[in-house]
Amino acid sequence: MERPIRIAGAGVSGLMAAIRLAQQGASVEIYERAPDSGANHAPRFDAVENWTTRADLRQVLSAWRIEIPLRQPDALEVFDSRADRYRATPERPTLYVVRRGPEPDSLEQAMKRQALNLGVRLRYRATLAPNEADLWAVGARARGRFLAAGLGFTTSHPDVVRVLVDRRLSPNAYAYLIVLDGHGTLSVVLTRQFKDARARLGEAVRAFQRLQPIKMIDARPSGGVGGSLDDFRRPTIGPPSLGEAAGFQDYLWGFGIRLALQSGDLAARALTEGTDYEESATREIRPLVQASLRLRALYDRVGDRGDRMLIRGIATVEDPGAMLRHAYELAAVRPMLGSSLASRRPTRAPAV
């Protein structure tokens, strides 16, 4: 009897690979150091980008036969450093919201239930050595480029997704407030000065309270780190690395869930269809990561004035996702963005 496929890590990428393998009839075991999927995350809301491919995320998930509790915000409110408000209500969502953590309605728990229903065996408080694993999905091995310091709370505040872009508050990043169904997350995202995270979070709370007072009940710390360039650049030794373990992160704004899902799918296909995972990831994921790094280098230079131009663009165009996707397509094939690129026809974004 052949042994089951073994996956180290029961986070998003590991669960995704397990689900896709089990859908094809494979026997799968997942080993996870934590006591449960999502247990490393305090309950919080997170966002999943919806601009990196031409297909809407819901269509992509349907093709993968993955059930994830996505929430579509009615609107996205963005405030600049002057507290000027921009409200985007695109027909196609620019992003979706998911709940993270060990709660029953979280992303991790929804994927865990689907994996169990397909016969995947999950072994918590258990580990695998690299030479024992077929897939490596244990998270980042090195310190990340992003740190999110936040609070999770309950509230009677109306549902809202609000972003504050102010480089004095969060240098070269942003702070955000998400409230859905009486639960809220307020967080500041940092790309530097990590030691000041607590003070920056306090400033973010005061900034959002000035915009619109909000009562935060039973507020508890939440947050995390992400985006390890060391993992992205390190040659693969041992089993294929997925998601954060491979450094698959959007280095412009810190998104990573969609790339984690995609890497899990590619790894499962490699084992069931005989494709080359590294080759597939190099073709379909790495160009998006490289594009985000090039856009990050540009974003670090534009300052508050550039922020306001970008915010106005996102809030006023009919499809901000298409605008962002166009920028990623250009950055994926060019080392620098400039006026000469604006007239060039973009290449097609990597397919999912």
Side-chain angles (χ1 to χ4, degrees):
M1 179 178 173
E2 294 186 2
R3 71 166 178 82
I5 295 171
R6 293 174 177 171
I7 301 173
V12 174
S13 60
L15 287 168
M16 176 67 176
I19 291 169
R20 296 293 282 153
L21 285 164
Q23 287 172 344
Q24 301 301 316
S27 176
V28 186
E29 289 182 347
I30 303 181
Y31 291 73
E32 169 58 53
R33 183 188 302 272
D36 200 355
S37 293
N40 291 329
H41 297 289
R44 72 173 194 262
F45 287 115
D46 226 336
V48 188
E49 77 277 11
N50 193 38
W51 61 76
T52 47
T53 65
R54 297 176 186 274
D56 184 88
L57 178 59
R58 290 189 186 275
Q59 296 175 302
V60 176
L61 294 176
S62 177
W64 283 336
R65 292 177 288 159
I66 296 293
E67 299 171 4
I68 291 177
L70 296 178
R71 292 292 302 272
Q72 179 180 337
D74 293 332
L76 173 64
E77 296 182 356
V78 186
F79 291 80
D80 64 18
S81 58
R82 298 174 178 174
D84 291 336
R85 174 178 175 266
Y86 301 84
R87 193 170 190 269
T89 55
E91 182 174 341
R92 167 174 161 162
T94 306
L95 53 81
Y96 288 100
V97 174
V98 293
R99 190 161 167 79
R100 306 295 303 276
E103 303 296 318
D105 60 345
S106 73
L107 167 67
E108 289 86 355
Q109 288 296 308
M111 295 185 73
K112 172 187 172 180
R113 288 191 294 271
Q114 188 170 358
L116 290 172
N117 289 338
L118 288 165
V120 175
R121 293 183 292 280
L122 290 106
R123 308 192 184 283
Y124 293 105
R125 302 186 187 275
T127 61
L128 283 175
N131 63 350
E132 298 174 317
D134 298 295
L135 298 175
W136 194 252
V138 297
R141 292 172 286 186
R143 183 175 179 176
R145 293 297 182 98
F146 294 91
L147 183 148
L151 296 170
F153 53 89
T154 58
T155 183
S156 59
H157 194 278
D159 291 355
V160 67
V161 177
R162 187 170 288 154
V163 180
L164 176 57
V165 182
D166 185 340
R167 297 189 184 222
R168 296 166 300 181
L169 173 68
S170 177
N172 294 1
Y174 56 93
Y176 67 89
L177 169 69
I178 300 176
V179 176
L180 292 172
D181 299 332
H183 297 281
T185 298
L186 191 158
S187 186
V188 61
V189 179
L190 302 175
T191 62
R192 60 185 68 174
Q193 301 176 11
F194 289 178
K195 62 182 175 58
D196 299 332
R198 182 176 298 180
R200 298 283 185 176
L201 174 59
E203 293 172 12
V205 170
R206 290 188 288 273
F208 279 111
Q209 293 286 16
R210 286 193 296 269
L211 294 174
Q212 184 179 9
I214 177 171
K215 186 175 182 180
M216 297 186 289
I217 303 167
D218 192 24
R220 299 180 181 182
S222 68
V225 297
S228 170
L229 268 178
D230 289 343
D231 289 334
F232 181 65
R233 292 168 174 165
R234 181 183 288 119
T236 300
I237 300 174
S241 296
L242 316 183
E244 287 188 340
F248 292 156
Q249 185 91 16
D250 183 305
Y251 289 88
L252 176 56
W253 287 318
F255 294 96
I257 294 174
R258 189 158 181 170
L259 295 181
L261 293 168
Q262 189 175 357
S263 66
D265 173 66
L266 292 179
R269 286 164 53 189
L271 292 176
T272 58
E273 301 174 10
T275 57
D276 186 310
Y277 171 73
E278 295 298 334
E279 181 180 300
S280 298
T282 297
R283 182 178 64 252
E284 300 189 27
I285 296 180
R286 285 185 171 272
L288 295 173
V289 179
Q290 293 285 6
S292 74
L293 284 166
R294 291 164 182 165
L295 291 170
R296 161 55 59 179
L298 178 65
Y299 184 74
D300 285 345
R301 297 199 298 267
V302 298
D304 286 338
R305 184 177 180 182
D307 288 345
R308 288 192 290 273
M309 292 175 61
L310 176 61
I311 292 168
R312 283 197 297 269
I314 291 175
T316 57
V317 299
E318 183 176 343
D319 186 354
M323 181 188 76
L324 292 169
R325 185 167 58 253
H326 181 73
Y328 274 72
E329 289 172 344
L330 289 173
V333 297
R334 295 285 175 177
M336 293 294 292
L337 291 177
S339 59
S340 62
L341 292 180
S343 62
R344 294 183 180 271
R345 184 176 181 180
T347 59
R348 184 176 297 276
V352 173

